[in-house]
Amino acid sequence: MSLPDRIDPRPPRRIYRWDLDKTYLQTEFDSIRDILRTAFQKAHEKQAVPGASALIRELAANGDSRLCIVSGSPRQMRSVLEEKLKLDGVVWDEFVLKDNVGNLMRGRFRALRGQVGYKLPAILESRALAPLEAEEVLFGDDAEADAFIYSLYADMVAGRVDERVLTQILNQAAVYPDEVERVHAAWKKIPVSDPVRRIFIHLDRLTPPAHFADYGPRVVPIFNYFQAALVLLADGHLTAPQVIKVAVEMVQTAGHNIITLSNSFQDLLRRGLPLQQAAAALVQALEGPNALLQALRPMPDIISAFTKRLAALGTEPAPPPARAVDYLAMLHHALPRTHKTRKPPAKPPAT
C-alpha cells in the first residue's frame, strides 16, 4: 500500500477577514504629513492596535481557520507590512493590497479613495474559493466603508440582496465597469449560504456605536479588542483563558487596567450583547489553578478586584432584533469620507 504524495490540510471551519489600517495597525493618513510618515515607517516602527495581534494569534491557535487580509494600503508596502506581521507572530493565508500605482497610471482616480469597488470584489472572489460550510468573522474600522461593504457582502452571499439593488449601489458608488464585472462574476460562483457570524468595527474615530444600529446586531462596534474577544467568547470562538491573554497584552502594552477592562465589558452589556455566560466563564478561569494563567496573572489583588467587578455586572438587556438592511438608504456610508459631514465622536467607556 503506497502512501499519498501529500496530505492536504483540512478545509477551514472558520475564516477571519481583517483590514489593516486603523483595524490592526495604528495608522494616520488624515494629512500629507501623516501619509508620508506612514509610507516611510519601518516595520518595527509600526504599532498594532492593542490586543489585535494577541486576538489573531488566539483565533489561529484553535486550528481549522484561515486569516485573510484585504487592505487599502498600496502594494509597494507589502514587504514592510509582511515583516511587521511576522514580528507580531501573525501568520496569514491571504494578503491583498491595493494597486494604487496601477490606478494612477490608468487615470482611475476614484479608485484611490473608493472602497466598494476594491474590497467587495476581493472578498467575494476569496469566498468563491472557500468551503460552503466555513463560517466567517470580519474585522474593519470606522474610517472608511467597512461596515457597509462587509454587511453588503454578507447579505449578498446569503441571498438577501437582489441584482437590481446591487446594480444601483455599484452605480451610485461610481464603481468602475471592470470592478462591476468582477463583483457579478464572483457572486455567481458562490453558493447561497449565510456564513458571516459577526462584523467587528474598531471605532478608531470614536464614531458613536448607535451610528451602526441600522446594520443590525451582526455588526458590533468596539472601542478595543477586549470587547471583540468577549463577544467571540460568547460566540464560541475563544475560551476564557484566551480572552485573558488578549486582556493581559492590553494591560502590558497599552496601559489598560481592571477599570478600563470592566467598563468595556459593561459598555457591551448596555448595548444589549448577551455576555453574562462569558462573564461567568471569565470568573471561573481567573479563579482556577491553570498554570499558564498563574504565569500570566498580574498581582493577585488586581485579579480579585477584577473578578468582583465582573461578578457584580448587572444582567444584560434583551439584544436588539435582527433587521433587513436598506443599503440604498445607507449608501452615504460607502462614500469616501471627504464627501460626508463628520459627526461628533462618541465617548469611549469611562476610564
Side-chain angles (χ1 to χ4, degrees), residues 26 47-54 246-256:
Q26 298 184 74
Q47 298 295 317
V49 176
S53 58
V246 175
V248 166
E249 181 180 271
M250 293 172 61
V251 169
Q252 292 177 340
T253 65
H256 285 268

Side-chain angles (χ1 to χ4, degrees), residues 165-187:
V165 170
L166 177 63
T167 298
Q168 289 182 264
I169 292 170
L170 298 179
N171 285 341
Q172 293 185 42
V175 175
Y176 285 100
D178 62 319
E179 296 169 335
V180 171
E181 291 179 9
R182 286 178 58 201
V183 167
H184 284 283
W187 190 23

Side-chain angles (χ1 to χ4, degrees), residues 300-333:
D301 58 332
I302 296 178
I303 287 294
S304 176
F306 186 40
T307 301
K308 291 177 181 178
R309 285 188 67 110
L310 285 180
L313 292 177
T315 57
E316 68 270 8
R323 66 185 74 188
V325 181
D326 186 347
Y327 290 102
L328 292 175
M330 298 168 65
L331 189 59
H332 61 284
H333 291 190

Side-chain angles (χ1 to χ4, degrees), residues 153 155 190 239:
Y153 158 73
D155 283 341
I190 302 172
T239 64

Side-chain angles (χ1 to χ4, degrees), residues 11-18 59 63-70 93-94 123 125-139 153 195-200 232 237:
R13 186 164 60 98
R14 288 168 174 157
I15 297 172
Y16 300 105
R17 301 192 186 278
W18 281 72
L59 291 172
D64 296 343
S65 67
R66 288 178 63 84
L67 173 61
C68 303
I69 300 171
V70 178
D93 298 280
E94 298 178 18
I123 57 180
E125 288 167 350
S126 176
R127 181 67 200 182
L129 301 175
L132 176 64
E133 64 276 9
E135 298 180 352
E136 297 197 12
V137 177
L138 286 69
F139 298 82
Y153 158 73
V196 177
R197 295 293 176 260
R198 289 288 184 186
I199 297 170
F200 292 103
L232 290 168
H237 290 250

Side-chain angles (χ1 to χ4, degrees), residues 333-349:
H333 291 190
L335 301 178
R337 182 168 287 271
T338 53
H339 298 296
K340 306 175 193 175
T341 300
R342 187 167 181 175
K343 296 184 177 182
K347 292 183 179 180

Side-chain angles (χ1 to χ4, degrees), residues 50-59 61-62 225-226 229-230 233 238-253 261 282 285-286 290-298 303 306:
S53 58
L55 178 57
I56 289 179
R57 291 194 301 269
E58 293 308 313
L59 291 172
N62 295 331
Y225 282 109
F226 180 60
L230 289 170
L233 169 60
L238 293 174
T239 64
Q242 289 177 312
V243 174
I244 293 170
K245 290 181 183 179
V246 175
V248 166
E249 181 180 271
M250 293 172 61
V251 169
Q252 292 177 340
T253 65
L261 294 177
L282 277 180
L286 289 167
N290 184 289
L292 179 59
L293 288 181
Q294 293 288 346
L296 288 172
R297 283 176 172 175
I303 287 294
F306 186 40

